């Protein structure tokens, strides 16, 4: 039902979620078609999570019973009428959502509909489509209690979904959007007053929001890793790309500061430190790619961002030495930037190896630890004669273990491939300090390990 402008804004908002294939616009659908689509998706175990309805509001009025009036939604009619739309009542809307199991109810329904939340007739059992949808169990229902302008609906769609799918608290979003509508009331009239929200947020909403933001920020960074660089050809492309990643890093940095020292959220703190460090490392990599693409020297910028990444990894490592992934990433950048380990770094190298080996021994599905063990061997300042064989054995163990479990989120094989590729194609440059004796300088070994974990 969204018109082209709103469809475009919604699709743009979800691009970081890698869910474009699940965006299903329905143009001029009848209520029967709309209902059938929701039930079909629910029956297939892939229910809609967010529903956006752009339609006209329609007064339902019975001349024989003047008091029995209400505002409904003008869905397209499949029978001949004077107008090609048929008003759907709040009772019909409620029945639709009540027919879905609780597990298959959408998380949010947004009605961009004039008078969709109109309470003019208070004696009706189902006052309006917005309240009826909320009463049916949908935890977040948005709508307009008065006539809604099209520019206002467009403005709301653009501002709301962009923030929602970046993990911003929905209460803050609604406040910001209402303020924006008010400031532009000459264009949007009384839309700022009209906005209505029914919310039933879980008790642990703030905690779940933090976890969700972690996944969203990771998706943003992966989006620019996987797509952004491939499409960048000019100086302006790289400027825009770095600006986008920097905005994500600003958000992550705020979360790290807020969580630092909070023992209740140590796991989230470690994740955010890791994400922030990864973001700085990706900024450094963008500078590296720009250097080759535009024949410019960005070495100083690369080193600046790698140092920032090292600091964040060290913070996470200091917080919890069992978090072997943060520790090995710190050790990696320490060797890349300085070419040596301090006595404390050597102690950390042994502690990290012990943590990774313990993780493997205690959990048969601990695939990330194999990546840590591989990289520790690459960085071993006193390599043993069998380190190369052990590294290949860990690569095979990673593939075998990761192939036997259901993986959600980042693919450990791709992540390991991306990390090994940095040693092969980036950190072997003269600007970096990795000593020749380390296995990280063995290009044949790196290539063999890469061929095991990833097909290029």
């Amino acid at each position: 039902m969204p018109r082209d402008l709103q469809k475009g804004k919604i699709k743009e908002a979800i691009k970081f979620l890698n869910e474009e294939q699940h965006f299903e616009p329905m143009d001029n659908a009848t209520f029967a078609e709309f209902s059938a689509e929701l039930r079909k998706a629910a029956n297939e175990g892939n229910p809609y999570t967010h529903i956006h309805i752009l339609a006209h509001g329609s007064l339902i009025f019975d001349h024989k019973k003047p008091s029995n009036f209400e505002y409904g939604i003008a869905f397209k009619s499949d029978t001949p009428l004077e107008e090609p739309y048929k008003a759907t009542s709040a009772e019909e809307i409620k029945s639709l959502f009540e027919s879905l199991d609780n597990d298959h109810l959408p998380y949010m329904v947004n009605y961009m509909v004039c008078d969709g939340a109109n309470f003019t007739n208070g004696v009706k059992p189902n006052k309006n489509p917005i309240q009826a949808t909320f009463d049916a169990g949908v935890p977040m229902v948005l709508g307009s209690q008065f006539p809604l302008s099209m520019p206002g609906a467009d403005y709301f769609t653009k501002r709301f979904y962009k923030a929602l799918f970046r993990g911003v608290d929905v209460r803050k979003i609604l406040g910001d959007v209402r303020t924006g509508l008010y400031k532009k009331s000459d264009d949007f009239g009384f839309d700022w007053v009209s906005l209505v929200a029914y919310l039933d947020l879980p008790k642990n909403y703030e905690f779940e929001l933090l976890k969700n933001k972690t996944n969203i920020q990771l998706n943003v960074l992966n989006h620019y890793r996987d797509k952004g660089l491939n499409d960048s050809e000019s100086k302006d492309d790289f400027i825009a790309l770095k600006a986008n990643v920097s905005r994500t890093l600003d958000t992550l940095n705020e979360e790290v500061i807020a969580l630092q020292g909070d023992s209740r959220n140590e796991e989230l703190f470690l994740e955010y430190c890791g994400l922030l460090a990864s973001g700085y490392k990706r900024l450094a990599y963008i500078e590296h790619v720009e250097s080759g693409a535009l024949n410019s020297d960005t070495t100083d910028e690369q080193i600046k961002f790698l140092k920032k990444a090292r600091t964040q990894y060290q913070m996470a490592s200091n917080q919890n030495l069992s978090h072997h992934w943060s520790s090995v990433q710190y050790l990696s950048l320490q060797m890349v930037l300085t070419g040596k380990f301090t006595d404390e770094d050597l102690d950390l190298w042994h502690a990290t190896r012990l943590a990774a080996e313990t993780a493997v021994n205690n959990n048969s599905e601990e695939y990330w630890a194999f990546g840590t063990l591989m990289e520790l061997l690459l960085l071993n300042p006193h390599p043993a004669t069998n380190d190369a064989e052990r590294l290949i054995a860990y690569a095979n163990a990673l593939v075998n273990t990761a192939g036997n479990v259901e993986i959600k989120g980042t693919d450990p094989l791709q992540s390991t491939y991306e990390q090994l590729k940095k040693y092969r194609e980036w950190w072997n440059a003269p600007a970096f300090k990795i000593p020749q004796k380390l296995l990280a300088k063995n290009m044949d070994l790196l290539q063999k390990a890469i061929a095991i974990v990833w097909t290029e």
Side-chain angles (χ1 to χ4, degrees), residues 326-399:
S326 297
S327 296
V328 75
Q329 295 306 306
Y330 160 74
L331 290 169
S332 169
L333 292 181
Q334 179 73 335
M335 185 63 76
V336 167
L337 292 168
T338 69
K340 59 184 180 181
F341 288 155
T342 65
D343 291 342
E344 290 80 6
D345 294 335
L346 287 172
D347 290 341
L348 180 60
W349 187 94
H350 289 287
T352 304
R353 183 178 67 174
L354 178 61
E357 289 175 344
T358 301
V360 169
N361 292 333
N362 291 343
N363 186 351
S364 61
E365 297 182 352
E366 182 55 68
Y367 40 78
W368 287 110
F370 289 114
T372 293
L373 292 168
M374 289 175 65
E375 198 161 359
L376 287 172
L377 292 177
L378 289 175
L379 300 170
N380 188 358
H382 307 294
T385 55
N386 64 340
D387 274 2
E389 295 176 4
R390 293 167 63 199
L391 189 147
I392 296 303
Y394 287 140
N396 284 308
L398 170 64
V399 172

Side-chain angles (χ1 to χ4, degrees), residues 155-395:
Y155 176 86
F156 179 92
T157 300
K158 176 182 178 181
R159 293 286 299 273
F160 179 79
Y161 288 106
K162 182 177 180 180
L164 184 71
F165 292 117
R166 294 295 291 265
V168 179
D169 189 319
V170 67
R171 294 165 296 189
K172 182 179 185 305
I173 302 172
L174 292 171
D176 290 344
V177 171
R178 190 187 299 276
T179 300
L181 289 169
Y182 173 74
K183 288 180 178 179
K184 297 185 177 183
S185 55
D186 288 344
D187 299 324
F188 304 139
F190 291 102
D191 290 344
W192 69 277
V193 180
S194 187
L195 180 61
V196 171
Y198 287 77
L199 303 176
D200 183 18
L201 301 177
K203 293 181 179 179
N204 63 341
Y205 175 67
E206 286 83 1
F207 178 75
E208 291 298 323
L209 189 66
L210 278 175
K211 291 202 300 183
N212 186 45
K213 287 174 74 172
T214 301
N215 293 329
I216 289 172
Q217 299 302 339
L218 179 60
N219 285 336
V220 173
L221 292 173
N222 285 340
H223 171 84
Y224 290 120
R225 180 197 68 193
D226 297 338
K227 298 180 181 180
L229 291 177
N230 297 332
D231 298 333
S232 299
E233 298 177 354
S234 70
K235 183 69 174 178
D236 288 343
D237 290 330
F238 283 104
I239 290 173
L241 184 56
K242 286 183 284 189
N244 280 317
V245 176
S246 295
R247 279 194 292 269
T248 295
L249 295 183
D250 289 341
T251 300
L252 289 169
N253 192 50
E254 291 175 2
E255 300 300 338
V256 167
I257 293 172
L259 291 169
Q260 193 167 8
D262 186 350
S263 59
R264 297 170 302 173
N265 288 318
E266 180 182 281
E267 182 179 350
L268 281 172
F269 172 77
L270 294 174
E271 287 197 43
Y272 272 107
C273 277
L275 280 176
L276 186 56
S278 178
Y280 282 126
K281 192 159 63 173
R282 292 180 195 195
L283 268 181
Y285 184 65
I286 293 171
E287 295 286 355
H288 162 67
V289 175
E290 178 180 345
S291 178
L294 304 182
N295 194 27
S296 59
D297 184 5
T298 63
T299 301
D300 290 343
E301 290 298 300
Q302 294 176 46
I303 291 175
K304 179 183 74 174
F305 290 129
L306 289 177
K307 286 181 177 179
K308 289 187 175 184
R310 180 182 60 181
T311 298
Q312 293 300 321
Y313 282 130
Q314 188 175 26
M315 285 176 58
S317 177
N318 291 341
Q319 179 77 13
N320 187 341
L321 289 176
S322 297
H323 202 251
H324 57 79
W325 181 253
S326 297
S327 296
V328 75
Q329 295 306 306
Y330 160 74
L331 290 169
S332 169
L333 292 181
Q334 179 73 335
M335 185 63 76
V336 167
L337 292 168
T338 69
K340 59 184 180 181
F341 288 155
T342 65
D343 291 342
E344 290 80 6
D345 294 335
L346 287 172
D347 290 341
L348 180 60
W349 187 94
H350 289 287
T352 304
R353 183 178 67 174
L354 178 61
E357 289 175 344
T358 301
V360 169
N361 292 333
N362 291 343
N363 186 351
S364 61
E365 297 182 352
E366 182 55 68
Y367 40 78
W368 287 110
F370 289 114
T372 293
L373 292 168
M374 289 175 65
E375 198 161 359
L376 287 172
L377 292 177
L378 289 175
L379 300 170
N380 188 358
H382 307 294
T385 55
N386 64 340
D387 274 2
E389 295 176 4
R390 293 167 63 199
L391 189 147
I392 296 303
Y394 287 140

Side-chain angles (χ1 to χ4, degrees), residues 39-193:
R39 293 189 178 107
K40 176 176 177 290
N43 291 336
E44 292 175 349
N46 189 29
Y48 287 92
T49 58
H50 297 73
I51 297 173
H52 179 91
I53 298 177
L54 175 64
H56 291 295
S58 181
L59 178 64
I60 303 173
F61 184 79
D62 186 346
H63 291 280
K64 296 180 180 179
K65 299 178 179 179
S67 63
N68 192 29
F69 69 91
E70 65 177 291
Y71 285 95
I73 300 174
F75 282 86
K76 181 183 177 183
S77 173
D78 54 7
T79 57
L81 296 170
E82 291 184 8
E83 296 290 339
Y85 298 100
K86 178 183 178 182
T88 301
S89 67
E91 182 179 359
E92 292 173 286
I93 294 289
K94 185 178 181 181
S95 296
L96 166 61
F97 289 107
E98 285 181 336
S99 71
L100 304 175
D101 294 337
N102 286 337
D103 292 340
H104 294 153
L105 280 170
Y107 180 69
M108 184 208 77
V109 179
N110 182 15
Y111 291 96
M112 293 286 94
V113 177
C114 290
D115 294 293
N118 194 310
F119 263 86
T120 299
N121 193 349
V123 301
K124 296 286 290 186
N126 298 301
K127 305 295 190 298
N128 54 63
I130 281 72
Q131 183 185 7
T133 303
F134 184 74
D135 289 344
V138 177
M140 185 188 303
V141 189
L142 312 176
S144 173
Q145 60 183 329
F146 305 132
L148 178 67
S149 73
M150 186 58 72
D154 291 343
Y155 176 86
F156 179 92
T157 300
K158 176 182 178 181
R159 293 286 299 273
F160 179 79
Y161 288 106
K162 182 177 180 180
L164 184 71
F165 292 117
R166 294 295 291 265
V168 179
D169 189 319
V170 67
R171 294 165 296 189
K172 182 179 185 305
I173 302 172
L174 292 171
D176 290 344
V177 171
R178 190 187 299 276
T179 300
L181 289 169
Y182 173 74
K183 288 180 178 179
K184 297 185 177 183
S185 55
D186 288 344
D187 299 324
F188 304 139
F190 291 102
D191 290 344
W192 69 277
V193 180

Side-chain angles (χ1 to χ4, degrees), residues 285 288 417 420-428 456:
Y285 184 65
H288 162 67
Y417 160 69
L420 294 176
K421 191 170 68 168
K422 291 180 176 67
Y423 290 103
R424 185 187 69 182
E425 300 175 3
W426 181 16
W427 292 335
N428 62 355
E456 294 185 299

